[in-house]
């Protein structure tokens, strides 16, 4: 009933992007300096340190699909990814609390089936069996679909005339705390965020002829992926377009997910 900006009687109201309604929280009377130095806030500082690390590695995770973020990801993607990274962070038992590493190279399977758009997942639009493979060197990955009839296995938006498959192969380094810089950094900074995007040909959505597809993505100018502390993320998705003359126009939000991590 009452709308205002800022705080009122110790309560601050705010909005969360991608969610409806307003949210409220009590404003802490504790100063920032006390949180940074006070002995009673040691656990808080530990949590803040690791949470910041999860934000850093999520930023690198996002960069893997940077050219397609607007089209393939929703407003909740970062928050959901940070939550997953925190789960991976908790798996590190070698470092002290507050300085635990984020070892995606060891726990990358926790990212498999992560949907970049939560409301539209690949299984919602594609009902056909597929498989994913990669080379031992980890530099190349293939997305393969057995013979499929588009008209029978696709759920496509109104107005779409064609579709194509998309595959992204990206590199995400483990992140570890650096005592010298006093912040979390990628262990393999040179390899971190390397990526390549591969597209299939366009197919008519109403095509009733069986198609076979193998889509291969290969990272170039990279060495040592198989032995480095990195995870290679194979993301696969589908884009629906409308043909206008000789052009194909993307006019809708599309589906993309993490298919495999190796």
């Amino acid at each position: 009933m009452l709308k205002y900006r800022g705080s009122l009687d110790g309560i601050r109201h705010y909005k969360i992007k991608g969610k409806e309604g307003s949210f409220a929280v009590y404003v802490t009377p504790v100063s920032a300096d006390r949180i940074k130095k006070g002995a009673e806030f040691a656990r808080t500082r530990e949590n803040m340190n690791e949470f910041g690390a999860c934000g850093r590695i999520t930023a690198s995770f996002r960069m893997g699909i940077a050219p397609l973020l607007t089209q393939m990801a929703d407003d909740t993607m970062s928050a959901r990814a940070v939550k997953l990274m925190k789960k991976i962070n908790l798996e590190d038992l070698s470092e002290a609390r507050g300085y635990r590493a984020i070892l995606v190279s060891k726990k990358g399977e926790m990212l498999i089936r992560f949907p970049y758009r939560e409301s539209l997942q690949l299984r919602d639009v594609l009902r056909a069996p597929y498989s994913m493979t990669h080379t031992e060197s980890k530099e190349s990955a293939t997305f393969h679909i057995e013979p499929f009839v588009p008209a029978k296995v696709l759920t496509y938006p109104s107005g779409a005339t064609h579709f194509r498959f998309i595959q992204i192969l990206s590199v995400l380094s483990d992140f570890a705390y650096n005592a010298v810089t006093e912040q979390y950094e990628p262990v393999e900074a040179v390899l971190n965020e390397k990526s390549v995007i591969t597209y299939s040909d366009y197919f008519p959505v109403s095509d009733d002829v069986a198609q076979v597809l193998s889509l291969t993505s290969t990272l170039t100018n990279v060495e040592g992926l198989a032995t480095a502390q990195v995870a290679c993320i194979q993301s696969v998705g589908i884009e629906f377009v409308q043909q206008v003359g000789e052009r194909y126009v993307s006019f809708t939000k599309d589906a993309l997910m993490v298919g495999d991590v190796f």
Side-chain angles (χ1 to χ4, degrees):
M1 298 297 292
L2 177 64
K3 295 182 179 181
Y4 63 91
R5 291 178 179 271
S7 303
L8 176 66
D9 195 24
I11 299 176
R12 178 175 64 86
H13 282 260
Y14 61 97
K15 296 281 189 178
I16 296 179
K17 191 174 182 179
K19 293 188 177 182
E20 296 183 0
S22 296
F23 299 82
V25 65
Y26 281 107
V27 179
T28 175
V30 182
S31 68
D33 186 64
R34 184 178 171 190
I35 292 176
K36 290 180 179 179
K37 300 178 181 179
E40 69 273 32
F41 289 102
R43 181 55 55 86
T44 299
R45 291 193 294 273
E46 292 171 355
N47 292 336
M48 290 172 61
N49 199 37
E50 291 185 346
F51 185 78
C54 293
R56 282 175 175 268
I57 194 171
T58 293
S60 287
F61 179 55
R62 284 169 53 91
M63 285 301 295
I65 68 160
L68 298 176
L69 270 174
T70 302
Q71 179 184 355
M72 293 291 187
D74 60 20
D75 293 334
T76 70
M77 179 257 180
S78 290
R80 290 185 289 108
V82 167
K83 186 176 180 179
L84 265 178
M85 296 302 177
K86 182 56 186 174
K87 289 182 178 180
I88 296 175
N89 174 229
L90 294 175
E91 293 290 324
D92 179 26
L93 303 179
S94 63
E95 300 294 336
R97 184 188 177 99
Y99 304 95
R100 289 170 292 197
I102 307 176
L103 305 176
V104 288
S105 64
K106 303 292 191 296
K107 297 293 180 179
E109 71 276 2
M110 296 175 70
L111 292 170
I112 294 177
R113 289 185 292 279
F114 175 83
Y116 291 88
R117 184 177 300 283
E118 193 171 26
S119 62
L120 185 63
Q121 301 185 30
L122 187 61
R123 64 173 180 264
D124 297 328
V125 297
L126 177 65
R127 302 179 306 279
Y130 55 83
S131 60
M132 283 164 284
T133 59
H134 59 270
T135 58
E136 188 174 346
S137 65
K138 297 170 51 171
E139 295 177 5
S140 184
T142 299
F143 174 52
H144 180 75
I145 302 182
E146 298 296 330
F148 69 100
V149 178
K152 294 182 179 180
V153 302
L154 292 179
T155 299
Y156 52 88
S158 176
T161 61
H162 291 73
F163 72 97
R164 64 177 175 177
F165 290 103
I166 298 173
Q167 179 172 253
I168 305 171
L169 184 58
S170 58
V171 182
L172 184 62
S173 170
D174 292 344
F175 271 60
Y177 184 77
N178 186 326
V180 176
T181 61
E182 297 186 336
Q183 63 182 10
Y184 277 84
E185 298 174 352
V187 177
E188 300 285 355
V190 174
L191 296 174
N192 192 46
E193 300 180 7
K194 296 284 188 181
S195 67
V196 59
I197 302 175
T198 310
Y199 298 90
S200 73
D201 293 332
Y202 286 107
F203 300 94
V205 295
S206 58
D207 196 346
D208 58 2
V209 177
Q211 304 286 348
V212 178
L213 180 131
S214 285
L215 193 60
T216 299
S217 300
T218 302
L219 291 162
T220 58
N221 299 320
V222 294
E223 295 181 1
L225 285 175
T227 56
Q229 287 183 262
V230 299
C232 290
I233 300 173
Q234 184 180 4
S235 300
V236 293
I238 190 169
E239 175 189 26
F240 292 103
V241 298
Q242 187 177 76
Q243 186 174 21
V244 180
E246 296 182 355
R247 297 188 305 116
Y248 294 100
V249 181
S250 180
F251 69 102
T252 185
K253 303 299 183 183
D254 300 302
L256 181 72
M257 74 165 190
V258 175
D260 196 11
V261 180
F262 49 87

